[in-house]
Amino acid sequence: MREQLIREVEIIPLEVVVRNVAAGSLSQRLGIPEGEVLPRSIIEFYYKKDELDDPMVSEEHITAFGWASPPEIDDIMSLAVRINDFLSGLFLGVGIRLVDFKIELGRLFEGDMMRIVLADEISPDSCRLWDIKTDEKMDKDRFRRDMGGLLEAYREVANRLGIMNENEPVRGKGPVLVSSNDD
Ligand code: UDP
């Protein structure tokens, strides 16, 4: 439960945002009321550059500056759509609407082959998750908008997904040494 298989990828310098419902910067930029269901899912690209506040870019910028090739953009978009379909269903099944999310991707080299893979965490830190019945926010917006109840919301998401026991303490006692070569 505490082990991970890590693969090294060449990270693509893009943040890929998939949106199903208007919120956040989309609502601000285009004046679409938060909560309005979009006519279809929308994929946006942002250039990963903290100093510039991750500006939005188009496929033209991405190909002209060589951040990704046209076939790679196709792969990125179809992966983003598949991830959106999978996650939307997963969250819907536990009464949560997936409003939007951000992912990053990387190039995984295997011998002569290269494929683009998801290279990011998916958590309420990078998704907007609203309760399907009440529209209550269950994500980082609670922190950004100073609403409180962040830990409770994150626990509720984990509980509903069945990945955390309801009675489990939020913070454990820290790592425990289970074997040592010294003795
Ligand atoms: N997001 C993120 N990291 C970023 C920017 C955005 O994880 O650096 C996520 C954010 O949590 C939301 C989605 O991407 O789920 C869309 O964010 P938006 O463009 O609306 O920006 P915001 O207004 O949240 O800054």
Side-chain angles (χ1 to χ4, degrees), residues 2-181:
R2 290 178 172 75
E3 290 180 11
Q4 286 186 338
L5 176 63
I6 306 294
R7 287 175 170 180
E8 188 177 6
V9 298
E10 184 182 279
I11 203 79
I12 295 169
L14 295 174
E15 297 199 344
V16 179
V17 169
V18 183
R19 303 178 182 274
N20 300 306
V21 175
S25 69
L26 178 105
S27 292
Q28 282 163 17
R29 216 175 28 244
L30 303 181
I32 299 173
E34 197 162 85
E36 194 167 299
V37 177
L38 298 172
R40 63 169 173 82
S41 301
I42 293 174
I43 300 176
E44 296 173 345
F45 299 106
Y46 295 85
Y47 179 42
K48 254 170 78 76
K49 198 84 177 163
D50 281 344
E51 308 91 277
L52 301 175
D53 265 348
D54 300 340
M56 193 184 202
V57 290
S58 72
E59 292 181 40
E60 279 286 280
H61 300 107
I62 297 169
T63 51
F65 294 117
W67 299 325
S69 66
E72 286 177 334
I73 295 177
D74 288 347
D75 284 356
I76 291 170
M77 291 183 77
S78 58
L79 255 176
V81 169
R82 276 175 59 203
I83 293 167
N84 185 43
D85 286 347
F86 177 85
L87 287 181
S88 293
L90 180 81
F91 283 118
L92 204 58
V94 295
I96 294 173
R97 187 193 311 278
L98 179 62
V99 170
D100 57 33
F101 63 93
K102 181 273 301 181
I103 49 170
E104 297 177 28
L105 302 109
R107 296 184 187 94
L108 180 63
F109 294 94
E110 291 169 315
D112 291 344
M113 302 285 285
M114 184 281 289
R115 63 193 166 102
I116 291 184
V117 295
L118 173 69
D120 207 352
E121 66 162 51
I122 295 177
S123 79
D125 273 355
S126 54
C127 302
R128 284 200 169 89
L129 303 170
W130 295 355
D131 183 272
I132 205 92
K133 290 204 186 110
T134 63
D135 277 345
E136 195 192 348
K137 295 183 198 316
M138 306 172 77
D139 55 59
K140 199 171 162 187
D141 271 350
R142 296 202 76 87
F143 168 76
R144 291 188 186 118
R145 299 179 189 192
D146 227 355
M147 299 166 76
L150 184 76
L151 277 183
E152 291 77 4
Y154 278 37
R155 286 186 79 176
E156 177 63 16
V157 173
N159 281 338
R160 290 200 200 178
L161 290 173
I163 53 177
M164 192 175 121
N165 187 305
E166 206 149 326
N167 301 317
E168 210 173 302
V170 174
R171 287 192 179 84
K173 289 190 189 123
V176 177
L177 185 65
V178 289
S179 71
S180 164
N181 293 330

